[in-house]
Amino acid sequence: MSSNTAESIIKAIKKDHKAIKQVLFVGCGASMADLYPAYYFTLRESKSLQTAIMTGNEFNFDAPKNVGQDTIVISASLGGTTPESVEATKHARELGATTIALSHNEGSPIVQAAEYTIVHGFDKNYAEKVEKMTLALKLAVEIVNQYEGYDYYEEAQTAFDGIYDLIEDQIKYVGPSAKKFAEQYKDEKTIYVMASGATQDVAYSTANFLFMEMQWIAAPNYNSGEYFHGPFELTVKDAPFLLYANDGKTRKMDMRALTFLQRFDAKYTLIDAKDFGLSSIAGPNVIDYFNPMLLTGVFRKYAEELAAARNHPLSKRRYMWKLEY
Amino acid sequence: MSSNTAESIIKAIKKDHKAIKQVLFVGCGASMADLYPAYYFTLRESKSLQTAIMTGNEFNFDAPKNVGQDTIVISASLGGTTPESVEATKHARELGATTIALSHNEGSPIVQAAEYTIVHGFDKNYAEKVEKMTLALKLAVEIVNQYEGYDYYEEAQTAFDGIYDLIEDQIKYVGPSAKKFAEQYKDEKTIYVMASGATQDVAYSTANFLFMEMQWIAAPNYNSGEYFHGPFELTVKDAPFLLYANDGKTRKMDMRALTFLQRFDAKYTLIDAKDFGLSSIAGPNVIDYFNPMLLTGVFRKYAEELAAARNHPLSKRRYMWKLEY
């Protein structure tokens, strides 16, 4: 294993692999969700790469049959010890793929297992909470650019350069909104969560991990486009919703959901990339891919306030870290 | 448009397109979920095809940039009028892709929009409820086989030949279990739904459409592997779960979830492909892909009993078919 920048890692891989055919993103839970923007980017922007995202054990038990020497597998695990993700990284190598792991823990098993690694921050501030997600996207941008050429590479670099400071800057102002959210939602037993585009798995992550895992609140989540094909039937007065809105191509889907929530007087909280000035750091050709980082970074403050208002720390668990299962 | 068999459609396409690079599955709601097994198959079995699945408006607003003459787009809409799916079919043609639409409605807009169409049954019996899903898989099998060769093509045909009768046969015996489920769950406000592998979107479909849309019951849903990375924290005595279990490679993930549900005395209902004899019609190399049809077909009976016990017909809606939105 060797830890380095996204650019140097892909350069090194390209020396040994002149052509690649496939990039797979494999993780578990929040770390899988953190890989989604990179997956979304690759699917939209690559000319010829196959790509997919899946949870660790689906890769371990039922990997695509064509995984081999022309495949890059990018895995991630915050603490670096998630057994399914460590196993997936090993399994990918056994199948002949080139492996890159993202982790916050330099000496961890996933870092040991992968050929290339990026060690990222997490604890210092809100921006660091999205370093894993951002660096995964950076890897995807490097893969597409170095193997195929990416017209908006410089525009993407500008956004990478600005995203962390934007989050830290915006966090200064969200305190009152976050407190209001916490007060309004602290007694809810169920919260519905929506997002679209590259942000879809921010809804997934917010619902499954911040709400269900860390707050023990039931949280159905779905794409804001999918809302209109069924789940919108649960939109009644005061039904509690959380809606992420992108600045970018799929914003129309989010705004359509917002209009419906307003029409039937649901209780909703809108976390909108436009309110946080995403376009000040991201140009129109790359902005879609930077919504998830900004919205995740900012919403962390809301989650902290919710935890405080409910007197239920985000670190409280019944089972995780306590049992064998 | 011309309606025909999966085999003849792909033969006809191959005449004009000697090589293809990409197969995209585009639908909305339950019709998107019905395309998931075909997507899952293509991702696992194809040597070189790019593939993805997405909701209609994500394709309309943010399609992959490489969609073109070497892309097949498979869309689906039960009634054939879902505006986002009709638009996606038109948009795919504008981009130069070859389009195939699945619909129950022969004269519908989606059938008019697509170059190739398959009109499927739905009303006659439980087996017909999964015709759309089955025919989508059949298209995927034909694509992989005709363009690349598929070693287990004959084994797949045997399973296709047997799946409908198996469903109709098993439906005869599930009445008591379905009634028991309905009695046990009829007063629940929330039901958690899990599945793995090709069946993942059966959990999605059950939760978002049968439960949330048609019964107004909140229903978080997730992959049974993902359960252990967060949502399992909500597993307490009598918490209501529905678990689909596959016969196939990812069964271990489902069984692990089952063990945890039992350990903490949750209220669970297991819908298990092994109980319904899937292996009697599907050989070991293709069985994974036929779980979703069997489990969907059989669970329909459970949903009907739940609707009856709650005096809430599956056709009852607040908004769908009633409003413009």
Side-chain angles (χ1 to χ4, degrees):
Chain A
M1 61 100 198
S2 65
S3 183
N4 228 310
T5 67
E7 188 182 2
S8 67
I9 287 172
I10 305 307
K11 257 188 200 156
I13 292 174
K14 212 185 159 193
K15 265 190 202 161
D16 296 329
H17 300 81
K18 295 295 164 216
I20 58 160
K21 287 189 182 163
Q22 180 163 248
V23 184
L24 296 180
F25 299 92
V26 181
C28 292
S31 285
M32 178 176 75
D34 281 349
L35 299 173
Y36 192 81
Y39 161 72
Y40 191 92
F41 169 87
T42 308
L43 179 63
R44 260 69 192 176
E45 300 289 352
S46 168
K47 293 174 186 72
S48 64
L49 292 167
Q50 297 161 247
T51 188
I53 184 167
M54 65 191 75
T55 189
N57 266 348
E58 282 207 355
F59 184 83
N60 295 326
F61 299 150
D62 196 14
K65 290 188 179 161
N66 64 355
V67 173
Q69 298 210 335
D70 45 18
T71 301
I72 294 174
V73 173
I74 297 177
S75 60
S77 169
L78 180 64
T81 57
T82 312
E84 298 90 334
S85 299
V86 175
E87 178 57 31
T89 307
K90 291 179 182 170
H91 187 47
R93 281 184 85 161
E94 285 162 11
L95 294 172
T98 301
T99 52
I100 310 172
L102 295 145
S103 177
H104 179 49
N105 185 352
E106 194 160 3
S108 64
I110 203 167
V111 170
Q112 300 297 327
E115 289 159 273
Y116 298 92
T117 62
I118 295 185
V119 176
H120 61 80
F122 188 76
D123 302 318
K124 213 178 72 189
N125 55 27
Y126 293 90
E128 282 202 350
K129 294 282 181 288
V130 300
E131 256 195 50
K132 193 202 304 159
M133 189 192 281
T134 308
L135 291 167
L137 177 63
K138 214 164 196 172
L139 283 167
V141 169
E142 288 297 334
I143 290 170
V144 171
N145 187 54
Q146 293 192 35
Y147 278 96
E148 304 182 336
Y150 174 46
D151 288 346
Y152 306 108
Y153 181 79
E154 290 307 325
E155 194 174 315
Q157 299 314 308
T158 303
F160 282 122
D161 290 345
I163 187 71
Y164 296 138
D165 284 350
L166 178 63
I167 291 168
E168 286 303 302
D169 195 46
Q170 292 300 317
I171 278 290
K172 292 178 200 155
Y173 307 106
V174 299
S177 303
K179 270 194 203 309
K180 186 180 158 204
F181 166 79
E183 277 309 309
Q184 287 186 326
Y185 287 70
K186 68 181 163 50
D187 298 320
E188 296 296 349
K189 303 278 174 261
T190 304
I191 303 174
Y192 302 95
V193 189
M194 282 190 264
S196 71
T199 307
Q200 179 173 309
D201 271 15
V202 179
Y204 179 85
S205 202
T206 303
N208 283 296
F209 313 116
L210 289 175
F211 290 166
M212 297 212 278
E213 173 185 346
M214 302 184 196
Q215 291 296 303
W216 307 350
I217 295 170
N221 70 93
Y222 33 79
N223 184 291
S224 55
E226 285 286 282
Y227 171 62
F228 290 97
H229 303 295
F232 76 153
E233 290 286 336
L234 284 165
T235 311
V236 292
K237 185 166 159 42
D238 295 330
F241 282 82
L242 172 65
L243 172 64
Y244 288 107
N246 286 347
D247 189 355
K249 296 191 187 79
T250 62
R251 181 175 181 81
K252 281 175 279 191
M253 297 164 71
D254 308 324
M255 290 299 105
R256 186 182 175 209
L258 177 63
T259 301
F260 200 87
L261 293 173
Q262 291 170 333
R263 181 173 171 188
F264 292 97
D265 217 7
K267 179 160 93 181
Y268 68 87
T269 293
L270 174 69
I271 310 290
D272 186 347
K274 268 194 191 285
D275 289 340
F276 307 121
L278 183 57
S279 64
S280 69
I281 62 117
N285 298 295
V286 303
I287 195 167
D288 290 276
Y289 310 116
F290 290 87
N291 284 280
M293 295 81 189
L294 176 59
L295 296 171
T296 298
V298 165
F299 189 75
R300 186 79 188 186
K301 185 80 178 164
Y302 288 68
E304 289 172 356
E305 291 293 349
L306 183 66
R310 300 179 77 239
N311 198 20
H312 183 125
L314 291 173
S315 58
K316 187 172 175 178
R317 297 290 186 283
R318 286 189 176 103
Y319 308 123
M320 197 176 277
W321 314 315
K322 296 182 173 176
L323 298 177
E324 300 258 331
Y325 43 85
Chain B
M1 62 99 197
S2 65
S3 183
N4 228 310
T5 67
E7 188 182 1
S8 66
I9 287 172
I10 305 308
K11 256 188 199 155
I13 292 174
K14 212 184 159 193
K15 266 191 202 160
D16 296 329
H17 300 81
K18 295 295 164 215
I20 57 161
K21 287 189 182 164
Q22 180 163 249
V23 183
L24 297 180
F25 299 92
V26 181
C28 292
S31 286
M32 178 177 75
D34 281 349
L35 299 173
Y36 192 81
Y39 161 72
Y40 191 92
F41 169 87
T42 308
L43 180 63
R44 261 69 192 176
E45 299 289 351
S46 168
K47 293 174 186 72
S48 64
L49 292 167
Q50 297 161 247
T51 189
I53 184 168
M54 64 190 74
T55 189
N57 266 348
E58 282 206 356
F59 184 83
N60 295 326
F61 299 150
D62 196 13
K65 290 188 180 161
N66 64 355
V67 173
Q69 298 211 334
D70 45 18
T71 300
I72 294 175
V73 173
I74 298 177
S75 59
S77 170
L78 181 63
T81 57
T82 312
E84 298 90 335
S85 299
V86 175
E87 178 57 31
T89 307
K90 291 178 183 172
H91 187 47
R93 280 184 85 161
E94 285 162 11
L95 294 172
T98 301
T99 52
I100 310 172
L102 295 144
S103 177
H104 179 48
N105 185 352
E106 195 160 1
S108 64
I110 203 167
V111 169
Q112 299 297 326
E115 289 159 273
Y116 298 92
T117 62
I118 295 184
V119 176
H120 61 80
F122 188 76
D123 302 318
K124 212 178 71 190
N125 55 28
Y126 293 90
E128 282 202 350
K129 293 281 181 289
V130 300
E131 257 195 49
K132 193 202 304 160
M133 189 192 280
T134 308
L135 291 166
L137 177 63
K138 214 164 195 173
L139 283 167
V141 169
E142 288 297 334
I143 290 170
V144 171
N145 187 54
Q146 293 192 35
Y147 278 97
E148 304 182 336
Y150 174 46
D151 287 346
Y152 306 109
Y153 181 79
E154 290 307 325
E155 195 174 315
Q157 299 314 308
T158 302
F160 282 121
D161 290 344
I163 187 71
Y164 296 138
D165 284 350
L166 178 63
I167 291 168
E168 287 303 302
D169 195 46
Q170 292 300 317
I171 278 290
K172 293 177 200 155
Y173 307 106
V174 299
S177 304
K179 270 194 203 309
K180 187 180 157 203
F181 166 79
E183 276 309 309
Q184 286 185 327
Y185 287 71
K186 67 180 164 49
D187 298 320
E188 295 297 349
K189 303 276 174 262
T190 304
I191 303 174
Y192 302 96
V193 189
M194 282 190 264
S196 72
T199 308
Q200 179 173 309
D201 271 15
V202 178
Y204 179 85
S205 202
T206 302
N208 283 296
F209 313 116
L210 289 176
F211 290 166
M212 297 212 278
E213 173 185 347
M214 302 184 197
Q215 290 296 302
W216 307 350
I217 296 170
N221 70 93
Y222 33 79
N223 184 291
S224 55
E226 285 286 282
Y227 172 63
F228 290 97
H229 303 296
F232 77 153
E233 289 286 336
L234 284 165
T235 311
V236 292
K237 185 166 160 41
D238 295 330
F241 282 82
L242 172 65
L243 172 64
Y244 288 106
N246 286 347
D247 189 355
K249 297 191 187 78
T250 62
R251 181 175 181 81
K252 282 176 278 192
M253 297 164 71
D254 308 323
M255 290 299 106
R256 186 181 175 209
L258 177 63
T259 301
F260 200 86
L261 293 173
Q262 291 169 333
R263 182 173 170 188
F264 293 98
D265 217 7
K267 179 160 94 181
Y268 68 87
T269 293
L270 175 69
I271 310 289
D272 187 347
K274 268 195 191 286
D275 290 340
F276 307 121
L278 183 58
S279 63
S280 69
I281 62 117
N285 298 295
V286 304
I287 195 167
D288 290 275
Y289 311 116
F290 291 87
N291 284 280
M293 294 81 189
L294 177 59
L295 296 171
T296 298
V298 165
F299 189 75
R300 186 79 189 187
K301 185 80 178 163
Y302 288 68
E304 289 171 356
E305 291 293 349
L306 184 66
R310 300 179 76 240
N311 198 20
H312 183 124
L314 292 172
S315 58
K316 187 172 176 178
R317 297 289 186 282
R318 287 191 175 102
Y319 308 123
M320 197 175 277
W321 313 316
K322 296 181 173 176
L323 298 177
E324 299 258 331
Y325 43 84

